[in-house]
Every structure is written in structure tokens, then in C-alpha cells.
Amino acid sequence: MDVSSVIVVGIVCGILIYGLIKRTDVASAFTKGAEDGLRTAFGLLPTLCFVTLSVAALRASGILEMITGLLSPLAGRLGIPVQCLPLALLRPISGSGALTLLGEILKDCGPDSFAGRTASVMAASTETTFYTVAIYFGAVKAKRSRKAVIAALAGDITAFFLSVFAVRIILG
Amino acid sequence: MGFLTIFLFLVSALYSVKAGTLSAVANAVTECGSSAVTLVIGMCGAMAVWGGLVNVANESGLSELLTKAMKPLINKIFKGLNRDSKATNAIALNITANLLGLGNAATPLGLSAMKLLEEEERAGDKPTKNMTLLAVINACSLQIIPTTVAALRLSSGSRSPMEILPCVILVSAASLLVALITAEVLEGGR
């Protein structure tokens, strides 16, 4: 029994019980909300197709591996584990890709190694920036997301470097 | 986003010619549409269920109760919003779900908040500052307990899967702060 399962089931019970107490028409409120949710989900598709075009090409072309190769001497000098570089590059564009990569790093270096810990902190403190911004702007008419992307990437870069230092200082 | 997508695609295409991965990229072009569809189909069930549950909470008045505590913080970040508006409620629910790590619930809540912001602030083709801030906050990790990564660490044989927690909280908070400050600076120029 993990914490998040308890939270999820607890929240659903809470919502249903409060609805009953307040004599809300739970069924009709639910179906109305579900309809809105479905409409929003399918409304995302056109924008999402456009964004995945570049993400898919990036992954398939092998350009991430090339950039990793270029950056690894510099990373070595700064004390950043080389294994974490592809993770940092992939994390903002592909959530499932980053998770796959993290699994490989944990297997190859060990989860309690410096590289393994750093990669874990990196993956856990960041989000799939491009997807998130694309989805959020996919839901509204305004499409100029440049400022949001730049600001969120500034956060990602901070998280990348800080992960290395936080693991070194806190976990030794 | 448009420019970035075009740029990334062109760079990848050029590189693939040199690296000999052109056929992989060609396949990716055809397949990426179905991966987007798969993603949305995977999401839409959760969007429907959580959208339904949230609307029950809205109509019963539970949302109002829950968001009262979050509002002072939200009004500090999102300036110029009516305290009792639907958008403020939706943002409060979105942030709560993010903190609890309920990604599947946070996204539909965040998207409806985005739409309500658009409506209430009468945004046209340009996003308002608050819309940008909401997207930025959601593009940063707010999750307090890193359940997915901890599960992965456990399955890889870690002695202490949750030992990363203090690091994660510190790094998440710092990166969120940097992202918000960057957004403020960028928006200030308008």
C-alpha cells in the first residue's frame, strides 16, 4: 500500500461523500465534467502532432548522442557524470524516453552511485517541458509560447547543474 | 513553439543525412502522428474521469473549501486575478494535484484553468502573463514525493530509494524559482 494510492482513493472518496452530503446531483455533474475533459483531450491533438514531429526526428536522427559526445570532455572537467548528459538533453522533450534512459543509467552505474543518484535527482526535479508547454498552449487560442519555453528551460538548466552539486553536498 | 519545432526538425534532418539515419527519420515522420494519437487516447480516459470528479467537487462546493488555503500564495504569483474567480479555483486545484504528484489529475485541471484564464482575462492571440506563468509552473516539477523515480530506484536494487528526497525538493524549488523569475523578467518587457 503506497502513499500515492492512499491519496488518490482518499480524494475520490472525499469528493463523492462531500457531494452526497451537499445533495449534489453527482452523476450529472460527473458526466458534464467528463464531457469537457474529453473535448479538451481531443482538442490537443493537432498541436501535439506538430510538436512530436520534431521530437521524433531528434530521437531518430541520433543527434542527441552526437551532442553528448561533444559535451562529455567539458562535463568531465566540471565533475558532471558523463552518463547524465543524454538524460539532461532528453528530459525536456520526452518523458518516457527520459525514464527509459534513467533505468539504463541505474542499471549500468548502480542506483546508489554518484551518477545514479544525480540522474535520479535530475529526472525527479524536472518535467517534460516541451510537451507540457505544447499541451497548455494547445488548449487556448494564443499560441505564442516562446516566453514560457525560455523560462521553463532556464529552470531545467538550473535543475541540471544543481542536481550535481546537491547530490555531492547532501549525499556526499 | 512553432519556430522551435521547425528549427529542431530541420537540424535533425540535416544531421541524419550526414549520420546515415535518414530512413529512421523518415519512419519517425510517419509514426509520430500515431504516437501523438496514442498519447491522447491514453490521456483522454483519465481526462474524462478526473474532469468528472472535479466537476462534482465544483458543484458540491468542495473545491472552494480546498482552495481557500492556497489562495494567498496564488494571488501573490498570479497578479490581477479575482480571488473568488473560477480561474483562481482551478489554479489552486491544479497546484494541489501537482504537489501530491497526481499528474493525471493535474493536467486536466491545469488545462481548464488555462481556458478560464483565457476567458477571464480576455486573451486574444497573445497569451496573458498569468497564462504564461501557469504553463511555466506546470513545466516545472512540483511533486513533493518522487514516486516514479523512487519506484525505478527500488527495482534497480537501491538500498535507499527515497534518499534523494531532500535533493529533489531543494533542486525542484530552486529551478521553479529561476523559471518564475525568468518569466517575470521576460514579461516585464512588454
Side-chain angles (χ1 to χ4, degrees):
Chain A
M1 211 171 64
D2 59 311
V3 184
S4 58
S5 308
V6 176
I7 294 172
V8 171
V9 179
I11 287 175
V12 177
C13 292
I15 290 173
L16 296 178
I17 291 169
Y18 195 84
L20 279 179
I21 293 172
K22 290 283 167 178
R23 298 181 182 283
T24 311
D25 186 348
V26 173
S28 82
F30 184 97
T31 43
K32 192 180 161 288
E35 199 187 321
D36 289 344
L38 282 175
R39 208 164 284 164
T40 309
F42 281 100
L44 297 177
L45 253 182
T47 314
L48 215 53
C49 282
F50 182 54
V51 175
T52 32
L53 194 62
S54 65
V55 174
L58 266 183
R59 294 204 63 190
S61 66
I63 199 168
L64 287 178
E65 288 79 357
M66 191 271 290
I67 297 173
T68 305
L70 283 179
L71 291 178
S72 41
L74 184 68
R77 210 167 301 161
L78 292 173
I80 299 166
V82 177
Q83 297 89 341
C84 294
L85 280 179
L87 180 68
L89 292 174
L90 194 61
R91 185 69 184 94
I93 57 177
S94 165
S96 52
L99 219 53
T100 314
L101 213 55
L102 175 64
E104 282 166 21
I105 296 171
L106 294 181
K107 202 176 75 203
D108 296 342
C109 309
D112 299 325
S113 66
F114 181 57
R117 284 167 164 172
T118 307
S120 305
V121 175
M122 250 175 221
S125 339
T126 47
E127 261 293 326
T128 319
T129 304
F130 285 99
Y131 267 120
T132 310
V133 175
I135 285 175
Y136 273 71
F137 281 89
V140 291
K141 278 197 285 304
K143 299 295 174 202
R144 295 195 194 168
S145 50
R146 194 173 50 92
K147 288 173 181 169
V149 171
I150 295 173
L153 281 181
D156 286 342
I157 294 167
T158 310
F160 173 62
F161 286 107
L162 206 59
S163 298
V164 181
F165 295 112
V167 170
R168 181 161 293 152
I169 291 163
I170 297 176
L171 296 173
Chain B
M1 185 63 80
F3 175 75
L4 187 74
T5 305
I6 296 166
F7 173 76
L8 290 178
F9 185 83
L10 293 181
V11 169
S12 309
L14 275 179
Y15 179 77
S16 72
V17 173
K18 187 173 155 279
T21 49
L22 194 62
S23 62
V25 174
N27 289 340
V29 168
T30 316
E31 281 159 17
C32 73
S34 45
S35 77
V37 173
T38 312
L39 185 79
V40 166
I41 288 182
M43 266 170 64
C44 75
M47 299 271 289
V49 172
W50 281 104
L53 287 170
V54 166
N55 201 41
V56 173
N58 284 342
E59 292 195 4
S60 65
L62 182 63
S63 310
E64 248 172 279
L65 217 68
L66 282 172
T67 55
K68 241 170 214 163
M70 304 276 302
K71 278 186 183 170
L73 179 72
I74 288 167
N75 283 70
K76 261 201 187 95
I77 299 174
F78 298 91
K79 301 239 164 61
L81 267 187
N82 185 343
R83 274 184 89 88
D84 301 312
S85 76
K86 278 184 174 173
T88 312
N89 278 334
I91 293 171
L93 283 171
N94 165 254
I95 292 178
T96 311
N98 268 317
L99 289 172
L100 295 173
L102 310 172
N104 290 336
T107 308
L109 294 170
L111 295 183
S112 68
M114 198 75 175
K115 282 187 166 161
L116 289 167
L117 275 178
E118 178 182 44
E119 220 171 276
E120 282 174 23
E121 302 195 316
R122 295 194 188 83
D125 295 337
K126 274 188 187 169
T128 63
K129 181 180 172 185
N130 285 334
M131 287 162 73
T132 300
L133 287 176
L134 182 66
V136 168
I137 288 177
N138 277 278
C140 292
S141 172
L142 302 180
Q143 188 174 2
I144 297 171
I145 303 166
T147 43
T148 314
V149 172
L152 201 59
R153 288 172 58 77
L154 183 69
S155 69
S156 331
S158 170
R159 272 172 283 120
S160 171
M162 273 295 179
E163 70 180 0
I164 56 164
L165 193 62
C167 294
V168 171
I169 289 176
L170 179 78
V171 175
S172 307
S175 71
L176 176 65
L177 201 64
V178 170
L180 283 179
I181 291 170
T182 312
E184 286 282 347
V185 171
L186 289 174
E187 288 286 345
R190 197 160 62 190

